[in-house]
Amino acid sequence: MYNFLQQIINGLTLGSIYALIAIGYTMVYGIIGLINFAHGEIYMIGAYVGVVSLVGLPAFGLPLTLVIILAILIAVVLTGGYGFAVEKIAYKPLRNSPRLVPLISAIGMSIFLQNFVALGQSNKDIALQPVLTARWELLANDHGMSVSLSALQIIIFVVTLAAMLALNLFIKKSKTGMACRACASDIGMAKLLGIDADKIIALTFVIGAALAAIAGILVALYYGTITPYMGFVAGMKAFTAAVLGGIGSIPGAMLGGFILGLSESFASAYLASEYKDLVAFSLLIVVLLIRPSGILGKPEVEKV
């Protein structure tokens, strides 16, 4: 039982990260119907910006809590700028091209960003000194068994929940959020109603990049290491989570992230760590065979 509860905590931690990245994929797809395959590298850049901020800010004599908050804010702002640039360079000029063309452009941007960071920061792993080491042992018994919960895991849960609630309020309550929903529903009709679709699309890339930046810095703190190539695997996992939950659905991206995180955690604990990817992608195949649109996705209707 103790191991089971521990894997739930570990899986929800990992799933929170996947969910934050997956939202970027699903928002972009929901509006322009394309997959931003450079999104994993945006997440990687967010991790690097966050680590540089964490290393530099203590020199100003700031308390640790404020350093972490400021590092997240700096990563969100600067990485959002990268997301904006990716949309303007790799997508906007090709918006009316066949779908394969912007897809190739996005893959090219992904490779460019990998090498851009590798050349600027070296292609070696960079280790980060532990920032938060507090840990609590819960439900301990006389046999020395317990469930471990770290301060960093709590921060990941809280930050992820806050980010998702803020995004949900923005999408449902704000005027710009209503414009986002209109573009996702029918971008052509939204343009006829006076909505600036170009600004909404750019904003979508910025929001997705900001959430990926939060995920990046949280992962850097959690694992204590970053690399220029960390975005590829995480991006593919987050894309899997988005498809699993229903591509184009924000709640689906969240659900898919948590399911993927839990499945990997249980596979590592009860099978072997080498099987976690096999279990995750097998789960995706099974879900898509049963429900091709994903768990919360809506079947596409062909317009004639």
Side-chain angles (χ1 to χ4, degrees):
M1 181 182 112
Y2 288 91
N3 188 39
F4 180 80
L5 292 175
Q6 186 65 65
Q7 297 314 315
I8 288 179
I9 292 175
N10 295 342
L12 290 177
T13 303
L14 186 59
S16 297
I17 302 299
Y18 288 152
L20 284 173
I21 308 172
I23 289 173
Y25 282 109
T26 206
M27 286 184 70
V28 170
Y29 183 87
I31 291 181
I32 62 176
L34 294 171
I35 302 299
N36 177 18
F37 279 112
H39 191 59
E41 277 56 51
I42 295 296
Y43 148 84
M44 175 268 294
I45 288 174
Y48 269 85
V49 173
V51 167
V52 170
S53 301
L54 284 171
V55 172
L57 287 173
F60 295 95
L62 300 173
L64 179 60
T65 303
L66 185 57
V67 166
I68 294 175
I69 293 173
L70 288 176
I72 291 176
L73 291 176
I74 292 171
V76 164
V77 172
L78 294 182
T79 310
Y82 275 96
F84 180 83
V86 166
E87 194 276 329
K88 294 302 179 186
I89 296 171
Y91 277 94
K92 187 176 180 181
L94 305 173
R95 198 168 291 161
N96 297 320
S97 303
R99 286 195 174 193
L100 185 61
V101 177
L103 175 63
I104 294 172
S105 177
I107 295 173
M109 179 60 74
S110 171
I111 296 171
F112 168 79
L113 290 175
Q114 276 187 16
N115 288 277
F116 170 72
V117 174
L119 290 172
Q121 302 291 332
S122 87
N123 59 0
K124 297 180 180 179
D125 293 3
I126 297 178
L128 178 66
Q129 292 294 329
V131 176
L132 293 170
T133 57
R135 182 177 292 274
W136 298 275
E137 302 299 326
L138 309 176
L139 305 175
N141 63 13
D142 297 334
H143 301 287
M145 300 180 65
S146 63
V147 177
S148 177
L149 178 65
S150 69
L152 193 51
Q153 286 176 317
I154 294 175
I155 289 175
I156 290 174
F157 296 145
V158 172
V159 171
T160 299
L161 181 62
M164 291 179 177
L165 287 175
L167 177 63
N168 189 57
L169 288 174
F170 170 77
I171 293 294
K172 290 188 175 182
K173 301 296 183 180
S174 71
K175 190 174 181 179
T176 305
M178 291 175 64
C180 290
R181 285 188 285 143
C183 288
S185 178
D186 192 325
I187 193 168
M189 181 59 70
K191 289 179 180 179
L192 292 176
L193 294 173
I195 295 174
D196 190 337
D198 288 340
K199 288 185 178 180
I200 296 300
I201 293 171
L203 177 64
T204 300
F205 274 81
V206 170
I207 293 173
L211 294 175
I214 295 173
I217 190 171
L218 291 176
V219 163
L221 289 170
Y222 191 63
Y223 291 110
T225 182
I226 56 174
T227 170
Y229 309 108
M230 63 187 284
F232 176 76
V233 174
M236 291 304 297
K237 294 287 185 66
F239 173 63
T240 300
V243 175
L244 181 65
I247 191 74
S249 167
I250 292 177
M254 299 177 193
L255 178 62
F258 291 129
I259 291 175
L260 191 64
L262 287 168
S263 66
E264 286 194 12
S265 180
F266 283 118
S268 297
Y270 294 108
L271 296 175
S273 59
E274 293 82 2
Y275 288 96
K276 65 178 183 179
D277 292 343
L278 175 64
V279 171
F281 288 108
S282 297
L283 179 64
L284 172 66
I285 293 171
V286 171
V287 170
L288 292 183
L289 285 173
I290 299 172
R291 187 174 174 81
S293 58
I295 298 173
L296 299 182
K298 297 179 180 178
E300 291 189 8
V301 178
E302 189 71 26
K303 298 179 181 179
V304 295

